């Protein structure tokens, strides 16, 4: 299937990591030019170089998205290198594992700025151009915790859930101009973040990491963790011309993990 995004320009936040990197590579394989943005400059460069080596077009960008003062500078840099941004992948890191109660106000504030306000600010910068051109895709990666809260991920459950209301509201505002806004929800995808959470749970429960992983995999109907490339394929479809009639939605890529309808 031709996704119809060859020649489009994409900005992938967190593009040096497991999920973001897989998304960047998948979009590039479909012919999109990709700006790989990550707080870790080396990770962004490695991913962009891999895309270029495979014949794609990519640029690397060191970007701490919690610093809202540099949003204009960073987006302008991408536009200078690639052109107007047609596809925005909002993919942020998660906070430390913790209960929801008893967290200092500073933890809530810092996490809100890096996980929520950064996404809103960057989107606000690129969406007007999408609307003017009559085409755009805003895809926000969340967590299964927005549907079924995950124990000991209080900050993530709470703050990522706020992005659902934001994305749905945005979808209605920009739909007449050919721009879509969707949220995609990963289940247990095999990444460094998942490894961290498994280790934290193992320590908390007094189990080995292998035990935790086996129990977690057993709770997933397909019986395994997902691959980043499987998640990326779903993101690429939502970014495609084929998905023009899909907006304001929440997509689950979870192997059936989330039990609710």
């Amino acid at each position: 299937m031709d996704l119809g995004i060859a020649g489009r320009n994409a900005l992938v936040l967190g593009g040096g990591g497991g999920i973001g990197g897989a998304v960047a590579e998948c979009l590039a394989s479909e012919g999109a030019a990709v700006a790989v943005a990550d707080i870790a400059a080396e990770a962004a460069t490695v991913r962009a170089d891999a895309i270029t080596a495979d014949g794609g077009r990519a640029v690397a960008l060191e970007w701490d998205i919690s610093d809202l003062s540099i949003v204009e500078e960073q987006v302008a840099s991408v536009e200078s290198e690639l052109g107007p941004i047609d596809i925005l992948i909002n993919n942020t890191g998660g906070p430390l594992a913790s209960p929801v109660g008893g967290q200092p106000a500073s933890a809530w504030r810092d996490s809100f700025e890096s996980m929520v306000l950064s996404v809103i600010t960057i989107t606000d910068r690129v969406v007007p151009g999408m609307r003017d051109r009559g085409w755009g895709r805003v895809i926000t990666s969340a967590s299964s915790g927005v549907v079924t809260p995950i124990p000991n991920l209080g900050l993530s459950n709470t703050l990522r859930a706020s992005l659902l209301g934001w994305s749905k509201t945005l979808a209605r505002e920009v739909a007449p101009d050919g721009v879509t806004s969707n949220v995609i929800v990963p289940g247990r995808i095999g990444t460094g973040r998942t490894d961290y959470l498994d280790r934290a749970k193992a320590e908390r429960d007094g189990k080995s990491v292998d035990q935790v992983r086996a129990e977690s995999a057993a709770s997933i109907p397909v019986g395994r963790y997902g691959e980043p490339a499987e998640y990326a394929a779903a993101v690429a479809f939502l970014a495609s011309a084929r998905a023009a009639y899909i907006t304001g939605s929440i997509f689950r890529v979870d192997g059936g993990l989330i039990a609710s309808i």
Side-chain angles (χ1 to χ4, degrees):
M1 178 186 294
D2 180 5
L3 296 185
I5 56 174
R8 298 289 185 182
N9 300 318
L11 169 59
V12 181
L13 305 180
I19 281 180
V23 170
E25 291 181 353
C26 189
L27 293 175
S29 72
E30 293 293 331
V34 181
V36 181
D38 202 281
I39 192 171
E42 183 178 358
T45 299
V46 167
R47 191 70 64 170
D49 287 349
I51 291 171
T52 302
D54 284 340
R57 184 182 178 203
V59 296
L61 190 65
E62 182 180 5
W63 191 348
D64 178 358
I65 61 172
S66 66
D67 185 353
L68 304 182
S69 70
I70 62 173
V71 169
E72 173 60 35
E73 172 190 342
Q74 297 289 66
V75 173
S77 173
V78 173
E79 292 172 335
S80 174
E81 290 276 356
L82 301 180
I85 297 168
D86 305 300
I87 300 166
L88 173 62
I89 309 299
N90 289 316
N91 174 53
T92 69
L96 295 175
S98 68
V100 74
Q103 301 305 311
S106 58
W108 286 104
R109 186 182 307 110
D110 292 346
S111 295
F112 175 77
E113 288 183 354
S114 64
M115 295 171 57
V116 180
L117 196 54
S118 60
V119 165
I120 294 171
T121 303
I122 295 167
T123 303
D124 280 349
R125 169 59 177 78
V126 303
V127 160
M130 293 178 179
R131 299 180 79 174
D132 287 345
R133 295 188 299 276
W135 200 98
R137 302 287 184 264
V138 178
I139 301 167
T140 302
S141 185
S143 159
S144 62
V146 304
V147 181
T148 302
I150 303 169
N152 209 48
L153 284 182
L155 292 170
S156 177
N157 294 337
T158 305
L159 296 177
R160 291 196 196 280
S162 68
L163 290 171
L164 302 187
W166 165 79
S167 179
K168 182 70 171 181
T169 305
L170 177 66
R172 295 184 65 87
E173 293 179 359
V174 300
D177 300 311
V179 180
T180 66
S181 175
N182 292 290
V183 171
I184 188 161
V185 174
R188 304 290 291 175
I189 308 296
T191 65
R193 171 70 174 175
T194 308
D195 289 342
Y196 158 73
L197 294 175
D198 284 346
R199 290 194 302 271
K201 182 173 175 56
E203 183 176 348
R204 191 169 64 252
D205 294 350
K207 298 179 179 179
S208 71
V209 175
D210 286 342
Q211 282 180 295
V212 167
R213 288 175 179 161
E215 292 171 358
S216 182
S219 71
I220 304 170
V222 301
R224 63 175 176 84
Y225 287 9
E227 297 290 337
E230 293 174 310
Y231 186 80
V235 173
F237 176 73
L238 289 177
S240 74
R242 304 275 184 167
Y245 202 62
I246 301 172
T247 194
S249 296
I250 302 172
F251 269 69
R252 304 176 183 183
V253 183
D254 67 345
L257 171 66
I258 300 171
S260 63
I261 295 174

